[in-house]
Amino acid sequence: MKTVTFLRWRGTFQTDMFLYLLGLVVFYYLYRWFREIPRVPDKGDKYVYITGCDSGFGNLLARHLDELGFCVIASCFTEKGEEDLRKACSGRFTTLHLDVKKNESVDKAAALIKDKVGARGLWAVVNNAGVAMPSAPCDWLTIDDYKSMLDVNLNGVIAVTLSVLPLIKKARGRVVNVASVFGRISPGGGPYTVSKYGVEAFNDSLRRNMVPFGVKVICIEPGFFKTTMTDWIVLGKSFKQLWEKMPQEVRDDYGPDYLDKVDMRMREKLAKMSDADLMKVVSCMEHAVSAVRPRTRYSPGWDAKLFWIPMSYMPTRFVDWLLLKKAIIPAKAVY
């Protein structure tokens, strides 16, 4: 009798605890939702500087913030990008040419922005410009391959931020850095993940440095989305060029059919994994710019939330095993 009573009590206790914990989770998310609703006032007086607006997230964000009433300064690498945005947006909208790899271009843009914003300062900079090529196993690449990407994805982010940071401090505004889930975990070789780890580190150090000045520093960590950076037609062409120019000795290590296997695998994986709804990322960027209380980090995409970021907290040996389990094995692999 005592055993039956105990088992009933334990079952009731476990059910109560589950409901209690479920209630806490629901309360937390409701509280966060209500807390994040308020938006900043006087959008028409706030300038937002966005890099990489020729296409993709930057282009959509520039149009979206313009519709919301912000004074957008959109930087593009091409004249066509500037022209298309000017035609589509309001009279408040400003475009300028920017090559984040060149200090003189970054400084020229910063000077133009300083003249435009005046004593109000700059409300936000969104460091969106980035590239995904060259990407390949580490032993396919040269140090120049690493430098070319780091100059855009990491050094460009730092250069642009520092060039306008005094204006942001004046407005007590915010810095929004677009990193990636691959700033948390590195599933493959090449400079892309190196650059994004660097952005994460810069973001964290800058966030803590800017607290005394009332400046918020926010990181966006998207998963896979359908942009030119995940287009295998573009990436595959670069991959093939790297294969053709590397030493025969390295090609022999991987085997003559390695390129074809990678091509088949990546076409299939990127098609399945990449989310076509770019507004999931743009909405996070917009919230980071316009919310009174933005989050410290945003991780748009179900693959980011449910796969990549949880994996980044797992033991290294387990992650290595998981990622290598379905990897394409080189011809001369010794395991």
Side-chain angles (χ1 to χ4, degrees), residues 174-244:
R174 49 198 65 178
V175 177
V176 182
N177 293 315
V178 181
S180 167
V181 285
F182 294 150
R184 297 281 201 105
I185 188 167
S186 185
Y192 185 78
T193 56
V194 176
S195 69
K196 294 305 181 180
Y197 269 75
V199 171
E200 292 273 358
F202 174 66
N203 186 87
D204 286 352
S205 58
L206 182 67
R207 185 182 66 252
R208 294 175 185 120
N209 290 162
M210 289 296 105
V211 168
F213 303 102
V215 172
K216 293 179 171 64
V217 181
I218 301 122
C219 194
I220 314 289
E221 303 169 327
F224 277 93
F225 285 85
K226 285 186 179 179
T227 67
T228 53
M229 294 181 73
T230 57
D231 184 346
W232 183 246
I233 294 175
V234 178
L235 295 174
K237 185 178 178 182
S238 171
F239 200 77
K240 186 177 180 181
Q241 288 172 347
L242 290 168
W243 172 269
E244 290 172 349

Side-chain angles (χ1 to χ4, degrees), residues 113-229:
I113 291 167
K114 184 178 181 180
D115 289 340
K116 193 162 190 67
V117 304
R120 286 172 292 191
L122 180 65
W123 174 249
V125 59
V126 181
N127 284 303
N128 169 73
V131 294
M133 297 179 291
S135 290
C138 298
D139 54 341
W140 292 26
L141 303 169
T142 67
I143 189 62
D144 289 332
D145 293 323
Y146 276 81
K147 286 178 179 178
S148 67
M149 189 181 290
L150 291 171
D151 281 345
V152 177
N153 290 6
L154 178 56
N155 295 338
V157 168
I158 297 170
V160 168
T161 302
L162 296 181
S163 72
V164 295
L165 196 55
L167 300 176
I168 292 171
K169 288 167 70 176
K170 184 180 291 186
R172 295 180 65 185
R174 49 198 65 178
V175 177
V176 182
N177 293 315
V178 181
S180 167
V181 285
F182 294 150
R184 297 281 201 105
I185 188 167
S186 185
Y192 185 78
T193 56
V194 176
S195 69
K196 294 305 181 180
Y197 269 75
V199 171
E200 292 273 358
F202 174 66
N203 186 87
D204 286 352
S205 58
L206 182 67
R207 185 182 66 252
R208 294 175 185 120
N209 290 162
M210 289 296 105
V211 168
F213 303 102
V215 172
K216 293 179 171 64
V217 181
I218 301 122
C219 194
I220 314 289
E221 303 169 327
F224 277 93
F225 285 85
K226 285 186 179 179
T227 67
T228 53
M229 294 181 73

Side-chain angles (χ1 to χ4, degrees), residues 1 30 69 89 103-104 138-139 164 181 183 258 265 269 273 299 311-312 315 317 324:
M1 187 67 180
L30 282 173
C89 297
N103 290 337
E104 59 270 24
C138 298
D139 54 341
V164 295
V181 285
Y258 186 82
R265 178 73 61 84
K269 274 196 169 184
M273 292 179 66
S299 303
M311 189 188 293
S312 71
R317 284 182 178 274
L324 291 171

Side-chain angles (χ1 to χ4, degrees), residues 256-274:
D257 58 347
Y258 186 82
L259 194 63
D260 292 334
K261 289 179 180 178
V262 170
D263 183 65
M264 289 178 60
R265 178 73 61 84
M266 294 307 293
R267 283 178 189 275
E268 179 187 350
K269 274 196 169 184
L270 288 176
K272 287 181 178 178
M273 292 179 66
S274 299

Side-chain angles (χ1 to χ4, degrees), residues 65-83:
L65 291 182
D66 180 61
E67 290 174 359
L68 292 176
F70 285 96
C71 298
V72 177
I73 304 171
S75 71
C76 298
F77 186 68
T78 64
E79 289 183 10
K80 184 179 184 305
E82 290 187 66
E83 185 180 345

